[in-house]
């Protein structure tokens, strides 16, 4: 028997806003069939014939298109879509409507760096296939949304659409912002910092040597045996690596480091998430011709001329990032709200605190071990820290940056030993042994899934204004 309606005359709920759903169809044009060359990319695109719904912009600045979160209509999975225009727009701070941009050439190679150096196998645009290691982003497919093949005679109209795996932990920048919040006031756990040091050091060694993880571990085991005088083999991993195809990332920052917390029962993954180095926009081969050198690499800042890609750039950037991780907590003191001000600037110079303050004393208990602080001191560059407008091209500047051998034999060796020691403990023990009482679990920084699945919504206003915003966004998403 049917139940009576408890409210026979329900009042209509007034609509307070109109939700706008933006559908992005799967690109119709793919690269001409070269047999096996285009199969993985096209097969993935064919599995999503109905396209994607735009969730939101993953980069805070509009317009859309640079990095977007999409939901597949066919599978329901979240996908990160990046669209690279060769003639990319530059918007001034006063251009709120993003309607009159200046244009610059975003990449000078045949394909953007994010595709040129990627994990997409059997793709003609990929010049360096990144190894299948957990610290490089997985690229599923490449398409061309304007509907035409990139051509040498009209390259200015090139638009590449890349589909990446979505990682659920946000960026390392997001984690640093949350730990720097003065209402939380907690140092980033040292166990997590050692984990980041190990993973990013491995990524840089792989890029610069072409070795695999197993090659690195064999080398580090041999270093250990030599130092214990167990063997007399002096072979060196760096003596046999392919330096011609060495890749320099040139943009290792907290914004380009992603985190991922796998869905498994092991609680240790909450302390040691997957660390992914992305953002290969500025990447180069060390032997790239001059016309392909990144114009925006860190060594080209400060009025210096364009500098050829060098491996020391990435090692310096690693040192800057590692030191920022230990200065996040100190930088939050006395600052309003969530503002994050680093003690280490873009050149690796300590802004406010000298060597002794890196220990971040809180009462009588140091926030970090002397082992960690002493290791980070190796990344100091006196020539830059003396001020006076010093630059990397000055004598005694970049020459003081640690070598790749030091990164491999000292930094990575020590970080691997530390992380293995942490892993031998239980999750409960690891958390309880924190000297300051802070949990080693960093999974609380994960973005809220309900936010990730929030469909695209325009700001409040008239329907006409909302459609104008969409037209502007779609113009940059689809290209000319």
């Amino acid at each position: 028997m049917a139940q009576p309606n408890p409210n026979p005359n329900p009042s209509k709920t007034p609509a307070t806003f109109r939700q706008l759903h933006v559908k992005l169809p799967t690109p119709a044009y793919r690269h001409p069939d070269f047999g096996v060359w285009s199969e993985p990319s096209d097969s993935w695109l064919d599995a999503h014939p109905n396209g994607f719904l735009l969730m939101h912009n993953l980069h805070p600045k509009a317009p859309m298109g640079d990095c977007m979160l999409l939901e597949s209509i066919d599978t329901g999975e979240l996908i990160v879509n990046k669209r690279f225009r060769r003639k990319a727009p530059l918007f001034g701070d006063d251009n709120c409507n993003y309607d009159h941009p200046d244009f610059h050439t975003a990449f000078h190679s045949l394909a953007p760096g994010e595709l040129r150096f990627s994990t997409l196998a059997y793709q003609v645009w990929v010049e360096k296939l990144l190894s299948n290691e957990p610290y490089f982003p997985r690229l599923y497919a490449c398409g061309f949304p304007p509907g035409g093949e990139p051509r040498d005679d009209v390259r200015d109209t090139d638009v590449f659409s890349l589909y990446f795996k979505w990682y659920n932990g946000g960026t390392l920048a997001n984690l640093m912002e949350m730990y720097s919040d003065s209402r939380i006031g907690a140092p980033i756990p040292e166990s997590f910092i050692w984990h980041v040091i190990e993973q990013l050091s491995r990524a840089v060694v792989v890029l610069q040597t072409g070795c695999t993880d197993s090659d690195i571990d064999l080398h580090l085991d041999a270093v250990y045996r030599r130092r214990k005088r167990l063997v007399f083999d002096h072979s060196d991993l760096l003596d046999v690596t392919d330096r011609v195809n060495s890749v320099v990332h040139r943009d290792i920052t907290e914004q380009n480091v992603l985190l991922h917390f796998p869905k498994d029962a092991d609680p240790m993954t909450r302390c040691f998430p997957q660390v992914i180095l992305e953002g290969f926009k500025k990447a180069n081969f060390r032997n790239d011709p001059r016309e392909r050198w990144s114009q925006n690499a860190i060594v080209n800042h400060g009025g210096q001329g364009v500098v050829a890609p060098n491996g020391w750039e990435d090692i310096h950037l690693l040192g800057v990032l590692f030191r920022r991780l230990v200065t996040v907590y100190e930088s939050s003191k006395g600052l309003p709200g969530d503002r994050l001000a680093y003690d280490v600037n873009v050149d690796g110079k300590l802004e406010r605190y000298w060597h002794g303050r890196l220990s971040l004393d809180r009462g009588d208990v140091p926030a970090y071990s002397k082992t960690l602080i002493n290791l980070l001191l190796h990344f100091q560059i006196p020539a830059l820290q003396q001020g006076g407008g010093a630059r990397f091209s000055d004598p005694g500047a970049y020459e003081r940056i640690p070598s790749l051998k030091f990164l491999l034999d000292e930094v990575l060796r020590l970080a691997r030993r530390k992380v293995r020691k942490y892993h031998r403990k239980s999750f409960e023990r690891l958390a309880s042994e924190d000297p300051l009482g802070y949990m080693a679990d960093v999974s609380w920084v994960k973005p809220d899934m309900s936010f990730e699945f929030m469909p695209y919504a325009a700001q409040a206003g008239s329907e006409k204004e909302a459609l104008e915003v969409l037209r502007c966004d779609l113009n940059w998403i689809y290209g000319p």
Side-chain angles (χ1 to χ4, degrees), residues 172-189 192 325 328-330 332 340 368 438-445:
L172 188 60
N174 175 66
L175 179 143
M176 295 166 72
E177 286 278 359
M178 297 180 76
Y179 272 94
S180 73
D181 190 327
S182 58
R183 294 166 295 183
I184 300 172
I188 297 174
F192 174 77
L325 289 171
V328 161
Y329 171 61
E330 189 75 7
S332 69
L340 179 58
Y368 298 108
Y438 297 113
M439 290 287 290
D441 182 356
V442 297
S443 63
W444 65 276
V445 303

Side-chain angles (χ1 to χ4, degrees), residues 217-416:
D217 285 326
L218 288 174
H219 172 84
L220 295 179
D221 291 340
V223 171
Y224 171 80
R225 291 193 297 269
R226 286 201 300 269
R227 295 187 178 184
K228 292 294 183 178
R229 299 182 182 275
L230 299 177
V231 296
F232 297 94
D233 179 14
H234 293 282
S235 61
D236 195 317
L237 176 67
L238 301 182
D239 294 336
V240 296
T241 54
D242 182 8
R243 306 304 293 275
V244 175
N245 291 321
S246 177
V247 178
V248 186
H249 186 280
R250 315 192 82 181
D251 196 19
I252 301 176
T253 64
E254 56 271 20
Q255 290 82 9
N256 284 331
V257 177
L258 304 175
L259 304 176
H260 184 68
F261 296 87
K263 296 180 181 179
D264 55 35
D266 186 0
M268 293 297 279
T269 60
R270 291 151 52 186
C271 304
F272 305 105
Q274 184 181 350
V275 178
I276 304 101
L277 177 62
E278 67 148 7
F280 283 77
K281 289 182 182 180
K282 303 177 184 179
N284 281 118
F285 285 116
R286 288 187 63 178
N287 63 338
D288 264 341
R290 184 182 180 86
E291 60 270 16
R292 291 191 177 186
W293 294 353
S294 172
Q295 306 294 311
N296 300 312
I298 185 175
V299 295
N300 300 327
H301 292 173
Q304 300 179 107
V306 179
V307 179
N310 287 281
W312 58 260
E313 295 177 65
D314 285 355
I315 298 174
H316 168 69
L317 289 171
L318 283 179
V320 173
L321 179 55
F322 297 159
R323 289 163 60 209
R324 282 178 174 170
L325 289 171
V326 304
T327 57
V328 161
Y329 171 61
E330 189 75 7
S331 68
S332 69
K333 295 179 180 179
L335 297 176
D338 299 358
R339 181 184 169 199
L340 179 58
Y342 296 118
D343 297 320
V344 184
N345 69 10
V346 71
D347 291 328
K349 177 181 175 182
L350 289 177
E351 293 279 20
R352 294 182 292 158
Y353 299 96
W354 300 101
H355 301 179
R357 295 303 301 272
L358 277 176
S359 61
L360 302 182
D361 288 344
R362 184 177 184 181
D364 297 327
V365 182
Y368 298 108
S369 66
K370 289 184 179 180
T371 303
L372 176 59
I373 297 304
N374 289 337
L375 178 67
L376 298 181
L377 293 180
H378 285 283
F379 293 95
Q380 306 259 54
I381 309 175
L384 292 175
Q385 291 164 357
Q386 291 170 359
R391 297 180 292 188
F392 286 102
S393 56
D394 295 342
Y398 78 84
E399 291 90 347
R400 296 294 300 270
I401 297 172
S403 65
L404 181 63
K405 183 173 180 59
F406 180 85
L407 181 69
L408 177 60
D409 290 358
E410 305 299 332
V411 179
L412 184 51
R413 178 187 61 83
L414 180 57
R416 186 183 72 153

Side-chain angles (χ1 to χ4, degrees), residues 66-83:
D66 188 40
C67 187
M68 303 173 291
L69 184 68
L70 312 180
E71 181 183 359
S72 171
I73 297 176
D74 297 282
T75 66
E77 63 182 317
L78 292 178
I79 303 295
V80 174
N81 181 229
K82 297 183 180 183
R83 305 204 172 198

Side-chain angles (χ1 to χ4, degrees), residues 11 76 127 227 421 472:
S11 60
E127 297 182 49
R227 295 187 178 184
K421 184 177 179 180
C472 178

Side-chain angles (χ1 to χ4, degrees), residues 52 151 161 163 165 217 262 283 364 400 444:
F52 308 88
R151 294 165 50 190
S161 179
Y163 297 88
K165 177 181 177 179
D217 285 326
D364 297 327
R400 296 294 300 270
W444 65 276

